[in-house]
Amino acid sequence: MTDTVTERLRPLRLKRREGKRIRAGHLWVFSNEIDTDSTPLRLFEPGDLVSIRGADGRFIANGYVNPHSLIAARVLNRDQKRPPDRKLLFARVRQALALREKLYPEPFYRVVFGEADLLPGLVVDRYNDVLVVQLTTAGMERLKDDVLAVLHELLNPVAVLWKNDTGVRKLEGLENYVEPAWGEVPDIVEVREGRARFDVPLAGGQKTGWFYDQRANRELLRPYVNGARVLDVYSYVGGFGIQCRKHGAEAVTCVDSSERALEFVRSNAKKNRFKVETIRGNAHEVLRDLHREKTRFDTVILDPPAFVKKKRDLDAGRTAYAGIIRAGMQLLERDGFLLACSCSSHMPEAELIRLVQRAAKQTGRHAQLLAVGGQAPDHPVHPAIPETRYLKSLLCRVSGQR
Ligand code: SAH
């Protein structure tokens, strides 16, 4: 018998000596690795399914292609007899869901985290019975009906939102849009995280509405914040600040440049039956002013947006992180705690550690690294793809000794 259905998937052939990385487990084929003489990229439409082949024609994997993107193809599976279809998506999402169900007692988490769940281009966040989905590649966009069907079958949501407004879509030649995929999508949903409750805006919010990735880091702070005065910088709707208050902090101040985010901080504080101060402004300026006023805190949390979006922004980004870490450290009491985060995948953890040490030196303090954290496990890391480990966090005690 000849080959099965995959034979019908058009081949995408790699150049000689390419393919080692993919055979070793990576999921991306870069455009310069493709043998465009035998399989010209222009003959493919964005999102076409392909059979990725070595220079010798031997099967490596099935995936989808995008002739316009630097990442020209992504692997979906490695079974020659099983071309990617709805059944494969179903198996993948079910597998992803099984992990999250183990992790969390309540249905609030990231169900699917792209490459790390072998579903490149797909992100699904779950807010109980409402799902927010991000399709970030042309290949996944093409599979959108299947994605929706599978989510229905596995999760039976009352509403699903396409939150397709990420910057990376442009690299794929995709238009951005935010629209309901199914049902009546509420403007605001409730997230339960431990004992805290948060209202978060979905379509009008940042990312998919809530930052599930910081859950483990909010928990990291728990032993340190009892009775503390906490400054939550880049607070968004108050995830860290309100959780710290729940963990016994005496007073919390949230800083964000978005008034709308701070409105949510105040209403979320009320929802949890306490008060939180808010300061609207540019973090750099707010931290400078607080320092001038000699306001001090026992705990400072720094969770800025990605300062290094592309590799070539590393120098500028590093300077921005350095400035904010130094400014945050200056506001700490003698034995204060600092949580410094970076969600830039291009910012290595070692660099962040260096910046903490440099800031300690400059402010005449002694820093101790207590914990090195990352994204919560509903955002797993694909060990072959360093970009999937994007969030880094350093929890330090910063004493007055030198
Ligand atoms: N800590 C939050 C997530 C932070 S997202 C959580 O745990 O949920 C980053 C936040 O930084 C956004 O709310 C954004 O409005 C804010 N922001 C971006 N640039 C800023 C700036 N220059 N100064 C203050 N806030 C800023």
Side-chain angles (χ1 to χ4, degrees):
M1 220 169 83
T2 52
D3 223 329
T4 56
V5 212
T6 358
E7 202 61 12
R8 277 185 262 135
L9 290 186
R10 282 157 64 206
L12 183 73
R13 221 183 247 241
L14 304 186
K15 287 182 188 155
R16 277 185 54 199
R17 278 189 285 275
E18 302 293 357
K20 210 169 144 197
R21 204 184 62 259
I22 299 152
R23 283 194 179 92
H26 205 292
L27 304 183
W28 297 346
V29 179
F30 293 101
S31 54
N32 64 349
E33 295 168 337
I34 291 166
D35 174 2
T36 46
D37 292 333
S38 70
T39 56
L41 272 168
R42 65 186 151 73
L43 299 184
F44 295 98
E45 290 294 321
D48 281 353
L49 290 176
V50 288
S51 161
I52 301 163
R53 309 266 168 166
D56 55 3
R58 273 177 40 207
F59 174 84
I60 302 177
N62 296 310
Y64 57 68
V65 65
N66 187 343
H68 307 312
S69 173
L70 194 64
I71 303 174
R74 297 182 200 229
V75 170
L76 284 167
N77 73 342
R78 292 166 194 273
D79 182 349
Q80 189 166 10
K81 297 200 180 65
R82 215 178 138 191
D85 57 5
R86 190 174 288 189
K87 253 171 74 183
L88 176 76
L89 282 184
F90 182 89
R92 291 273 198 259
V93 177
R94 190 174 56 183
Q95 173 87 354
L97 181 62
L99 171 69
R100 281 65 175 186
E101 285 178 334
K102 259 190 210 308
L103 285 168
Y104 304 113
E106 296 194 280
F108 298 90
Y109 43 71
R110 176 153 293 189
V111 184
V112 174
F113 181 49
E115 270 74 355
D117 285 304
L118 300 179
L119 287 166
L122 180 65
V123 163
V124 181
D125 277 357
R126 180 175 195 185
Y127 300 89
N128 199 1
D129 48 12
V130 177
L131 303 176
V132 178
V133 184
Q134 291 185 319
L135 308 167
T136 58
T137 58
M140 220 17 107
E141 183 85 29
R142 282 267 286 270
L143 296 171
K144 111 188 227 196
D145 292 343
D146 292 317
V147 168
L148 195 58
V150 163
L151 292 176
H152 265 288
E153 210 170 324
L154 282 167
L155 295 161
N156 192 28
V158 299
V160 182
L161 178 71
W162 299 124
K163 188 88 174 6
N164 289 329
D165 58 356
T166 54
V168 287
R169 282 175 64 93
K170 208 167 164 199
L171 304 175
E172 291 274 322
L174 295 168
E175 295 291 322
N176 280 0
Y177 61 92
V178 176
E179 63 186 37
W182 166 263
E184 291 245 352
V185 180
D187 293 338
I188 295 171
V189 291
E190 186 186 74
V191 170
R192 302 199 287 268
E193 187 184 276
R195 285 163 46 240
R197 302 282 176 272
F198 301 86
D199 283 335
V200 309
L202 289 189
Q206 301 198 21
K207 296 275 176 68
T208 71
W210 177 248
F211 290 83
Y212 283 123
D213 54 356
Q214 287 287 19
R215 181 176 179 140
N217 294 321
R218 295 186 194 113
E219 195 53 35
L220 265 187
L221 287 166
R222 183 197 284 267
Y224 307 103
V225 295
N226 195 23
R229 283 163 302 152
V230 174
L231 181 68
D232 176 3
V233 190
Y234 306 97
S235 68
Y236 186 47
V237 298
F240 275 103
I242 286 173
Q243 205 55 271
C244 285
R245 190 75 167 72
K246 218 54 185 175
H247 294 157
E250 188 183 288
V252 171
T253 305
C254 286
V255 177
D256 204 284
S257 55
S258 154
E259 183 52 35
R260 186 164 154 73
L262 294 178
E263 277 167 23
F264 275 94
V265 169
R266 291 186 291 267
S267 62
N268 282 328
K270 210 180 271 169
K271 196 177 170 82
N272 290 278
R273 286 197 279 274
F274 39 68
K275 256 194 84 186
V276 163
E277 295 296 319
T278 55
I279 305 176
R280 194 187 90 82
N282 182 320
H284 294 269
E285 290 161 18
V286 174
L287 295 191
R288 188 198 56 207
D289 294 347
L290 287 169
H291 183 56
R292 282 196 188 139
E293 295 158 13
K294 298 201 165 37
T295 314
R296 293 292 176 267
F297 298 89
D298 303 301
T299 302
V300 172
I301 296 146
L302 304 169
D303 182 22
F307 285 155
V308 190
K309 290 221 172 65
K310 301 182 217 81
K311 238 189 199 138
R312 69 177 129 90
D313 300 337
L314 183 58
D315 283 341
R318 197 192 287 114
T319 308
Y321 282 118
I324 210 81
I325 291 172
R326 192 171 51 239
M329 218 178 254
Q330 275 182 333
L331 293 175
L332 282 175
E333 289 289 1
R334 272 182 73 81
D335 291 314
F337 294 90
L338 178 77
L339 182 75
C341 306
S342 163
C343 60
S344 309
S345 57
H346 299 297
M347 178 78 187
E349 183 181 285
E351 292 265 354
L352 206 59
I353 294 176
R354 256 197 297 280
L355 294 184
V356 164
Q357 172 53 23
R358 185 148 26 107
K361 207 77 206 137
Q362 287 167 344
T363 54
R365 318 283 292 259
H366 168 55
Q368 298 166 297
L369 211 46
L370 307 176
V372 175
Q375 61 227 45
D378 54 346
H379 297 59
V381 174
H382 191 312
I385 311 178
E387 289 85 346
T388 59
R389 185 177 181 222
Y390 65 101
L391 183 61
K392 273 83 53 176
S393 67
L394 307 178
L395 177 63
C396 319
R397 184 170 74 155
V398 184
S399 70
Q401 307 194 15
R402 315 171 69 161

